[in-house]
Amino acid sequence: MALRRRMHKWLCWSTVPLVALLVFDGYRWWQAARINTAIRDGSIINAKGQLPPEAVFAQAYYQAQKSNQESATALYKQVETVAQNNLKNAARYNRANSYLQRAMELDANGNKQLGLPLVEMAKDAYRIVLRSKPVTWDAKYNLERALRLVPDPDDSDDADLPPPEQSERALTTVRGFTLGLP
C-alpha cells in the first residue's frame, strides 16, 4: 500500500512540470500562429510593441514593397542587431538592396552625386553578406551591379609611383647581404 501511495505521489509531482511545459509551448505556438496570420493578411505593418525579429523583418519587407525605403532600412537595421545569422544576413542583404534601389532612383533623376554614398553603403553590406555566406549568388550579382554604377578605385595607379624616400628595406633585398642557410 505504501509503495502504491509513493508511486501515485511521484506520478502526480512528475506531471506538473510536463503540464507547465505544455502550457508554455502552447502559448508560444499560439503567439507564432497569430504573428503568421498578421504577416499573411498584411496587418503586421501596424503591429506595435515587442515583436520577434521575424515580425520586424516582415514589417520592413512591407515598407520596402510600398517604396518607403527609409523606414524599411531602419527596420532592417533593427533586425540585424537582434536576429540570428540567417535572418541577420537576409536583413543586411535587403538593406543593401534598399540602398542600391534609392541610389538607382537618384541616378535616374540626374542626382548621381547624391546616390554615391548609398551605393558605397550597399557595396559594404553586400560584401559583409558574402563574407559570412559566400554562396549568396544574389548578393554577388547585386554587388556587381553596384560596382558598375560606382567602380572601386584601382590600386594600379600607385604602381607607377617611385618608392617614398627614406623607405625601409628588408635585409633580404639589400644587395650583397645574405642571411645564409641554417
Side-chain angles (χ1 to χ4, degrees):
M1 188 70 157
L3 178 63
R4 197 176 204 186
R5 238 186 234 161
R6 274 190 266 154
M7 288 296 289
H8 180 68
K9 190 175 184 180
W10 178 83
L11 187 60
C12 289
W13 282 109
S14 64
T15 57
V16 169
L18 181 63
V19 170
L21 183 65
L22 287 174
V23 168
F24 179 73
D25 281 346
Y27 173 73
R28 290 193 38 126
W29 176 82
W30 173 78
Q31 216 176 13
R34 194 182 67 175
I35 289 172
N36 286 340
T37 301
I39 290 171
R40 264 193 306 278
D41 66 16
S43 65
I44 192 69
I45 197 76
N46 300 321
K48 301 286 184 215
Q50 185 70 18
L51 297 172
E54 294 83 3
V56 177
F57 185 89
Q59 286 179 327
Y61 181 79
Y62 277 112
Q63 291 291 345
Q65 294 301 312
K66 290 182 176 183
S67 297
N68 191 354
Q69 300 300 331
E70 291 82 14
S71 177
T73 302
L75 289 170
Y76 284 133
K77 278 186 178 182
Q78 182 182 342
V79 171
E80 285 179 51
T81 61
V82 295
Q84 298 299 323
N85 285 340
N86 286 338
L87 190 60
K88 183 183 288 192
N89 277 339
R92 189 172 287 132
Y93 171 75
N94 285 358
R95 182 172 53 91
N97 286 345
S98 294
Y99 288 147
L100 187 59
Q101 185 176 1
R102 285 194 327 220
M104 290 170 56
E105 289 169 1
L106 288 170
D107 188 32
N109 293 334
N111 296 326
K112 185 173 185 161
Q113 293 299 320
L114 293 175
L116 289 177
L118 295 171
V119 175
E120 292 299 325
M121 289 190 295
K123 290 191 304 189
D124 288 342
Y126 288 133
R127 286 181 176 130
I128 292 170
V129 169
L130 289 170
R131 265 187 238 119
S132 65
K133 194 171 181 185
V135 295
T136 311
W137 295 105
D138 295 340
K140 287 182 183 183
Y141 177 79
N142 288 350
L143 176 60
E144 185 178 324
R145 287 185 69 189
L147 288 169
R148 285 185 187 158
L149 277 176
V150 180
D152 284 341
D154 289 334
D155 292 332
S156 62
D157 296 339
D158 297 337
D160 299 336
L161 298 175
E165 290 188 33
Q166 303 287 332
S167 64
E168 295 181 21
R169 296 183 71 178
L171 287 177
T172 56
T173 62
V174 175
R175 290 187 187 168
F177 184 83
T178 61
L179 292 175
L181 297 174

